[in-house]
Amino acid sequence: MVTATRVHRDFVPSFQLYGKPPSQGLPDMIHIEAFQDRSEPNGWQIKPHRHFGLLQIMRFLTSGVGITVDGQTSVTTAPAVLVVPPTVVHGFTFSPDVDGTVTTIPIDLLHEADGSLSNALRQPYLLTEQDAVFEQCNQLVTYLQHEFQGRQPARDKAIRSLISCLSVFLDRHVHSADGDLTQARDAGGLAERRIQTFLDLIEAHFTDPWGPREYAAEIGISKGQLTRDCRVLLGRSPLQVIHDRIIKEANRKLAYTLWPVGQICDALGFSDIGYFSRFYRQRTGQTPTQYRAELQSSMTPPALTVSNPR
């Protein structure tokens, strides 16, 4: 691996999906797309960027992709699987014949039962066929893609289970071998660590009546410092980040449960359904009921037309 000039972290853009600002959350539990879908409109180059609260898994089915991870560069040989945790700066140079996928997973789906994040998911590494867990990880990403693209019963449960299995195999890899990129990961800046702590705390407390002041106090910084960190690294205010997480959870429950809106309101810490509906509408442009109806309509298969025999 060849060391390249580092990109100054304060000037690296932060995205949810590449090219989309952090305020536009994932449209589904996870997101999977082909490399060509996003690289072709960008001239086959994805410039260095990073994601907060998201882990990405790139599966390369063709060789020759130039990758940059935290300032270090290499060229892939296929097949390979690249794991990119939150905050890690990464970029790519593709060719028009590239084949492969990028799977984007919100970190809250990867938290352990105690709310912590496995050490295996805090550092980048590149898996190849020589790695003991490569085949299992490769297959799990394939199964994830199948579930993501389908609408089978218990889809969300299947996706969560596959992600849990993937986390186990990645953890085994970290405990058994040093990935090529593992030693290259630096600890990141203080601001990035504060933001990651803030996002971790949101996962634990977004249903509690916590505002920016409570989060800042828990981190051990002033509310003003938290605001500055969020503006620079996330392009959002702390309150907007908190509200984004609440809306994401509301959307998941509206999409993947049969709970009435009142029950969702209670689960998210709202005492008044009217206030919850206004809160939701102000941030999405529609009521929770409208969102659910629109989603169900888009997922309803077309009626089967049977021709009368002649």
Side-chain angles (χ1 to χ4, degrees):
M1 184 170 290
V2 179
T3 302
T5 302
R6 289 189 177 276
V7 180
H8 195 286
R9 285 181 170 273
D10 289 345
F11 295 96
V12 178
S14 171
F15 298 117
Q16 285 280 55
L17 302 178
Y18 182 80
K20 294 182 179 294
S23 60
Q24 299 180 18
L26 296 181
D28 205 338
M29 286 180 67
I30 62 174
H31 184 77
I32 302 178
E33 66 183 19
F35 288 135
Q36 290 185 334
D37 293 345
R38 202 163 298 269
S39 61
E40 182 175 9
N42 288 284
W44 304 106
Q45 184 177 21
I46 301 298
K47 295 180 179 180
H49 64 286
R50 58 188 166 188
H51 310 276
F52 283 90
L54 298 173
L55 176 134
Q56 290 193 314
I57 300 175
M58 285 77 174
R59 185 167 63 147
F60 303 99
L61 301 177
T62 49
S63 301
V65 176
I67 63 175
T68 300
V69 177
D70 265 349
Q72 294 198 336
T73 63
S74 65
V75 178
T76 63
T77 57
V81 173
L82 174 66
V83 179
V84 182
T87 77
V88 174
V89 179
H90 56 289
F92 304 93
T93 301
F94 299 101
S95 61
D97 64 347
V98 64
D99 187 9
T101 59
V102 53
T103 299
T104 303
I105 305 173
I107 280 297
D108 58 286
L109 292 181
L110 293 157
H111 282 145
E112 307 285 347
D114 62 0
S116 65
L117 187 64
S118 167
N119 286 333
L121 304 176
R122 296 181 180 275
Q123 52 196 352
Y125 38 86
L126 186 66
L127 298 175
T128 66
E129 287 183 300
Q130 284 70 47
D131 293 300
V133 302
F134 172 79
E135 189 56 38
Q136 293 95 328
C137 292
N138 190 41
Q139 285 297 322
L140 285 168
V141 174
T142 300
Y143 296 148
L144 268 175
Q145 184 173 353
H146 175 76
E147 290 295 334
F148 174 76
Q149 293 175 340
R151 284 294 183 271
Q152 296 297 315
R155 172 181 181 267
D156 59 326
K157 185 176 181 180
I159 288 175
R160 289 177 185 273
S161 297
L162 289 168
I163 290 172
S164 180
C165 288
L166 186 61
S167 177
V168 168
F169 284 109
L170 293 176
D171 196 54
R172 288 178 181 175
H173 171 70
V174 168
H175 282 86
S176 64
D178 290 328
D180 287 342
L181 299 173
T182 300
Q183 302 301 322
R185 176 72 171 127
D186 63 29
L190 286 174
E192 288 188 3
R193 293 201 292 272
R194 290 194 296 262
I195 285 295
Q196 192 58 58
T197 301
F198 175 50
L199 295 175
D200 289 343
L201 286 170
I202 288 177
E203 292 304 319
H205 296 286
F206 70 88
T207 60
D208 297 331
W210 280 33
R213 191 177 304 279
E214 287 75 17
Y215 283 104
E218 188 70 15
I219 298 169
I221 60 176
S222 68
K223 180 183 174 184
Q225 182 63 63
L226 179 61
T227 299
R228 288 190 292 274
D229 288 346
C230 285
R231 289 292 186 189
V232 170
L233 294 175
L234 301 179
R236 311 279 281 166
S237 71
L239 189 61
Q240 287 173 315
V241 177
I242 297 166
H243 288 175
D244 288 345
R245 181 63 183 92
I246 295 171
I247 292 296
K248 181 168 70 171
E249 191 67 24
N251 286 344
R252 285 179 180 166
K253 286 180 166 52
L254 289 166
Y256 299 114
T257 75
L258 298 177
W259 292 8
V261 173
Q263 186 176 354
I264 295 174
C265 166
D266 292 339
L268 294 177
F270 291 82
S271 59
D272 180 76
I273 190 172
Y275 175 73
F276 170 65
S277 294
R278 291 192 297 274
F279 171 89
Y280 186 93
R281 185 168 189 170
Q282 287 171 354
R283 288 155 184 82
T284 68
Q286 56 187 166
T287 66
T289 303
Q290 289 171 333
Y291 172 81
R292 173 175 273 171
E294 183 180 286
L295 188 66
Q296 290 174 343
S297 175
S298 67
M299 294 173 61
T300 302
L304 178 63
T305 302
V306 179
S307 301
N308 293 324
R310 293 185 180 273

